[in-house]
Every structure is written in C-alpha cells, then in structure tokens.
Amino acid sequence: MRYSIGGKQYKKTLGTADEEQALQRAYEIWHEQSFRNKQGLSLDSHPFSEVAEEFIEKVVAEAERDERSKYHPIYWPPIIRRFPVGYFGDRPIETITTADIERYLEWRKTYWTTGPGLQVQKIRCEREDGRIFIRPAPRKVAALSTIKGEMVIIREIFEQAAKWGYCKPIVIPAVKARKKPDTRRPGFSPEEYERLLNKSLERISEPQQSVKLIKAKDGRVWTQSTLTDRVRSDRVRLHAYIEFMASSGLRPTEAKNLKWGNILRYRETKDLALFKQDARLQVHGKSKHGDAVPLHGAIQALHMLWNVFVSEVGREPNDDDPVFADAKGEAILSFKRGLSGLLKAADLERDHRGVKRTSYSLRHFYISQMLANNVSVHHIARNTRTSITMIDKHYAQVNTEQIKDFLRPGEEDLPTEPMLLDDETYGEIALLEKRLAELKAGETSERTAEKLSRAYGAQRR
C-alpha cells in the first residue's frame, strides 16, 4: 500500500497475497496512522530497544553537561539493557500499556531466581572511578528498594518517549510493598500468665459440691459430681503442664515424648533443700533432639507430676514411664481440651490480635521472658532447639516495659522517689555547712564548734 499523511509519502507491505485480507490491513494501517497524526505522534513505529538506546545517549550527554548525576551514565545503561530491553525488546513502544508494565514488574522480581537471570553466572560491574570487576549473579528475589530505583529509570524512558512523540503518556504503576501477615506466635504477658496460673489454682481448690443434674437428648437423666477427685487430679496435671512448659520452652511434641528417664538429676536431688534441687532434660521431637536446662519453676512442676503419679498408680515412676501420665500411668497425648477450657475460664483464649492461644503460647512466653531478661539470643536458640531467625520471626515479642532498664543505660540507680530528710538530719547538715563556711573564711566560732562536739560526742557514746 502507498498513502500520504502530513505531506509525506509512505509505502508499506501488507504481508499477504490475499486481496481481501490485504485491503482490510490497509484500512487498519490508514486509520491508525490518521489517529497518530491527529494526536501529534510520530507516524513511524519505534521499537523499545531503539528508544532505550536513544535515551541512554541523552543521559550520557546530560551528565557531561552536569545536568544530571555523574553516576547515571555508569549505572543506568546496564540496568536498561538487561531488564526493560530484555523484556520488551523490539516491541513498538506505542503499544506498551500500563498492564504490560505490571507484568514486567512480576518478571523483574524473579529475574535471578526463575527468570532469564538463572542462566547468568557472572556479572560485570564498573565503579565510578572506572574500576571493573566481576561478581557472582544474585540468586534472590529483587528487593523492594531495588525495584523502586529501577522504576525511576523506566518512568523517565516513557516520559522522554512521549516528549519525542513516539508514544502517548502512560501511567507507570507505583511499586507497593504488600503488608506481611503477622506470623508471631500468640503468647502471654507476665500479667496474663499470672492470671492463668491463679485461675488454674482457683479451679483446683474448688470445694467438692454435691451433684448436678444432666439431661441427655434421648431423655435419659442422671446426676454427676461437679468436681470429682479424678477431675481435680486432671487439673493438677494441667497446672503442672503449664508451669513446666513455661519454664522449659519445650514444644508440645517434645513434652509428649518426655519420659522420667529423660529427666536427669531430678531423682537424686528431689528430696534435698530447694536450692540444691536440679533437673536437665533430654529432649526429642519429630526431627530435633538435644539437651535443655529448664528454669527452677519446672522442678516444682515435676514434684506435682511425681506426687500425682505415686498417689494414683501406687508406685514411683520408672524411667520408661511418661512424665505426663494419666491415672493409669499411660501417656497423655494432648492437653488441648483442658488448656482450652482453662484459657476460656481465664478470658485468655485469644490474644490482642484475635489469634487463638495454644500450648505453643507457653513456649513463646518462655522465649519472650528470656529475651526480656537479656539472655543471649544464641543461648536461647540452642536451649530451645531453634534458630535465631525463627526466634526473631515468631517469638521475639517483648513488652518494652519488661526491658525498660536496658533501654535506659546508666540510669539504673536513679531513685524513683525523692528521699525526705527528717528535721534532726536536716539540722545536722545545716550545722556542718555553717562550720565549713567559717573555716573557709578563716573565722572561729566557738559556739558552732561546741555544738558539733556535743552532737558527735553523743553519737560516739
């Protein structure tokens, strides 16, 4: 086809031997070019790669004239050629839309992990001083700050292309970070934990009531004691479980697998004075194992569990008996039901985010309290068989009030309330100050000296 627009002749091949199809394409080209002419756009199509190179030349020229930063012609060209040119290639720039930029962003984020960058082993880098070096290609998702910096370049390319008449201005989408979900474990504050223990003791101490009437759906009716000895023992075990978990930081699975043979030093020291009692835990879960040093609160919980076992089973626990055992001496697989009831009774079923608390919340409480008491995170990670990263991600939720002393270094000894002097002490200080003033002035006052002599002579007697 041949046509004339704006006083200029154009000739284009239609790429088909079919006359009807060729005529249709000719009309499409004519209407498109007429529209571009009315909009003041260039009638010639410009591949993105060519526009990008023209933009690079402009950046270099402006930097030489001190119209832009000197690092732009050093760092921008490699970025432009590797990423936007690598994605859009020779596609006509006027056909690129906002939706295409959105797709480019997703492609760019994973360029080095699952995209074309996976085939690149080394990257050639040039410093501002002209030094050139080679570094390994990164194998990670592009950081938000990196993407934002590169979008500044792309925005400038399209703005300049619009000024040159190559395309219409388009909206370049802003790069926004999606808010990460809060994955921290629900725990307890010290006050909430104290409330939980108090409610547990209150339920254990409930007086034995007579009976309550139970009606079944099928019409059957019977009575049952509201607090039997078995229920009381179960509550004692639950209380011991809470104290033990909060004092050791064990996972529920690790606690379930614990046997009395895994409790070292306890048998030998349980009848000694409190300060001589001790325990070490040999812990194993599904895949992790190791030794743990619990707080002394765990030893008190072991006393409760030992005594309940002796009273119900009728003998002392053997090494192969489970630490958390029922009235028959068999392992308790889960405290989920009992703990859920206690949490509901203490109004602690969910934390401030609405996340439901579980046995894992006691592990969270242990780790948070250790952090609040300035224990090394490396020591905590080793004692709880986890990593520092996991502690920071899931557990390190420390109330700032608990670490206020560490947030005020050097101010630990400041009194919280001014100390008031009694009249006698105030008078003694005033007398000493008066005598010092007399000595500095070279004066002699027998009356002041006599008063001091009487005061201190009486104290010595």
Side-chain angles (χ1 to χ4, degrees):
M1 68 175 291
R2 184 180 294 149
Y3 59 96
S4 177
I5 292 182
K8 188 177 179 180
Q9 291 286 329
Y10 294 91
K11 184 179 179 181
K12 289 195 176 187
T13 179
L14 299 174
T16 179
D18 185 280
E19 183 177 359
E20 186 178 347
Q21 191 176 15
L23 189 61
Q24 182 181 350
R25 290 183 183 179
Y27 276 116
E28 288 177 357
I29 293 172
W30 166 253
H31 288 304
E32 181 185 348
Q33 293 295 75
S34 298
F35 173 78
R36 293 176 65 84
N37 184 54
K38 288 180 181 179
Q39 297 296 322
L41 299 174
S42 172
L43 299 180
D44 297 320
S45 182
H46 295 83
F48 181 86
S49 57
E50 292 182 6
V51 177
E53 290 299 329
E54 189 176 354
F55 176 76
I56 290 173
E57 291 177 8
K58 183 176 184 296
V59 168
V60 173
E62 288 176 346
E64 290 174 350
R65 296 193 299 265
D66 291 331
E67 294 176 4
R68 66 166 60 236
S69 173
K70 293 293 184 183
Y71 86 86
H72 286 180
I74 297 174
Y75 292 105
W76 282 21
I79 293 173
I80 294 171
R81 291 172 180 137
R82 181 181 296 277
F83 301 118
V85 172
Y87 184 80
F88 295 113
D90 292 333
R91 180 173 172 179
I93 193 168
E94 68 272 13
T95 65
I96 298 174
T97 64
T98 301
D100 295 319
I101 303 295
E102 286 282 5
R103 294 186 185 96
Y104 163 80
L105 283 173
E106 289 301 314
W107 174 87
R108 170 63 186 94
K109 290 175 183 177
T110 58
Y111 179 88
W112 296 112
T113 55
T114 59
L118 199 59
Q119 309 302 321
V120 180
Q121 301 301 323
K122 303 288 183 180
I123 300 177
R124 181 180 180 275
C125 303
E126 183 177 350
R127 295 290 189 191
E128 292 182 60
D129 57 6
R131 288 185 301 159
I132 298 174
F133 65 95
I134 305 295
R135 66 180 177 88
R139 292 287 176 254
K140 60 181 180 180
V141 175
L144 179 65
S145 58
T146 301
I147 298 294
K148 283 184 175 180
E150 293 177 7
M151 290 304 290
V152 171
I153 304 174
I154 292 177
R155 189 173 287 107
E156 281 204 34
I157 292 175
F158 279 91
E159 287 176 355
Q160 188 59 51
K163 291 176 183 177
W164 284 332
Y166 297 164
C167 66
K168 293 289 290 182
I170 65 171
V171 176
I172 303 297
V175 182
K176 296 180 181 179
R178 300 185 187 276
K179 187 176 180 181
K180 294 182 179 179
D182 190 349
T183 58
R184 292 174 297 174
R185 307 284 189 190
F188 299 96
S189 68
E191 295 76 18
E192 289 172 333
Y193 177 70
E194 191 69 24
R195 194 163 93 213
L196 181 68
L197 289 183
N198 289 338
K199 175 56 70 173
S200 177
L201 291 172
E202 178 186 321
R203 281 156 52 97
I204 292 172
S205 305
E206 283 180 3
Q208 182 80 29
Q209 300 177 16
S210 55
V211 292
K212 70 175 181 179
L213 189 67
I214 300 176
K215 295 181 179 180
K217 291 182 179 179
D218 58 3
R220 291 179 300 150
V221 179
W222 69 91
T223 59
Q224 178 180 316
S225 299
T226 55
L227 185 62
T228 64
D229 291 337
R230 182 187 61 79
V231 172
R232 196 185 303 276
S233 297
D234 288 343
R235 291 182 177 180
V236 170
R237 273 188 283 265
L238 175 61
H239 185 88
Y241 177 80
I242 293 171
E243 283 208 64
F244 183 85
M245 299 296 277
S247 299
S248 64
L250 263 64
R251 299 178 177 88
T253 304
E254 294 170 340
K256 181 182 68 174
N257 295 335
L258 207 60
K259 298 184 182 298
W260 284 104
N262 302 130
I263 311 295
L264 308 181
R265 305 189 188 184
Y266 175 72
R267 287 179 185 270
E268 298 83 358
T269 63
K270 67 182 181 65
D271 296 324
L272 300 178
L274 184 62
F275 69 94
K276 292 184 178 181
Q277 295 174 8
D278 202 358
R280 296 290 185 273
L281 312 178
Q282 292 179 331
V283 180
H284 66 281
K286 290 182 178 179
S287 59
K288 297 184 179 181
H289 64 277
D291 298 332
V293 180
L295 298 173
H296 279 85
I299 300 175
Q300 304 308 311
L302 290 172
H303 284 330
M304 285 187 275
L305 294 167
W306 181 281
N307 293 334
V308 169
F309 188 96
V310 171
S311 65
E312 291 188 333
V313 181
R315 60 174 175 82
E316 290 190 347
N318 298 321
D319 284 349
D320 58 349
D321 286 320
V323 172
F324 297 100
D326 59 17
K328 298 179 181 179
E330 298 176 357
I332 298 175
L333 301 180
S334 174
F335 283 89
K336 182 177 180 180
R337 186 174 178 180
L339 181 60
S340 179
L342 177 59
L343 288 169
K344 190 176 292 186
D347 195 24
L348 293 170
E349 192 174 14
R350 298 181 183 273
D351 69 358
H352 65 281
R353 300 167 299 167
V355 181
K356 191 172 182 179
R357 291 185 171 101
T358 64
S359 298
Y360 254 102
S361 300
L362 298 167
R363 175 177 169 86
H364 172 98
F365 175 75
Y366 169 83
I367 294 176
S368 297
Q369 291 304 108
M370 297 294 276
L371 290 170
N373 285 283
N374 207 30
V375 179
S376 166
V377 68
H378 296 85
H379 296 161
I380 299 172
R382 184 169 184 178
N383 198 48
T384 54
R385 299 152 306 285
T386 188
S387 66
I388 296 173
T389 303
M390 288 297 290
I391 289 177
D392 185 64
K393 183 178 180 181
H394 292 291
Y395 299 102
Q397 184 182 359
V398 181
N399 188 334
T400 52
E401 188 63 26
Q402 296 175 247
I403 57 174
K404 62 182 185 300
D405 293 336
F406 303 114
L407 300 176
R408 292 175 174 173
E411 299 182 7
E412 297 85 354
D413 298 329
L414 288 178
T416 56
E417 185 177 347
M419 185 180 295
L420 299 177
L421 302 177
D422 55 34
D423 292 340
E424 183 178 350
T425 305
Y426 184 82
E428 182 180 336
I429 292 173
L431 190 63
L432 287 169
E433 289 177 343
K434 182 179 179 182
R435 180 57 178 162
L436 287 172
E438 290 176 352
L439 292 173
K440 287 181 180 180
E443 299 176 356
T444 302
S445 174
E446 297 297 334
R447 187 175 179 183
T448 306
E450 186 179 346
K451 286 183 178 180
L452 285 172
S453 179
R454 285 202 304 269
Y456 286 99
Q459 289 181 8
R460 284 195 295 271
R461 286 196 297 271

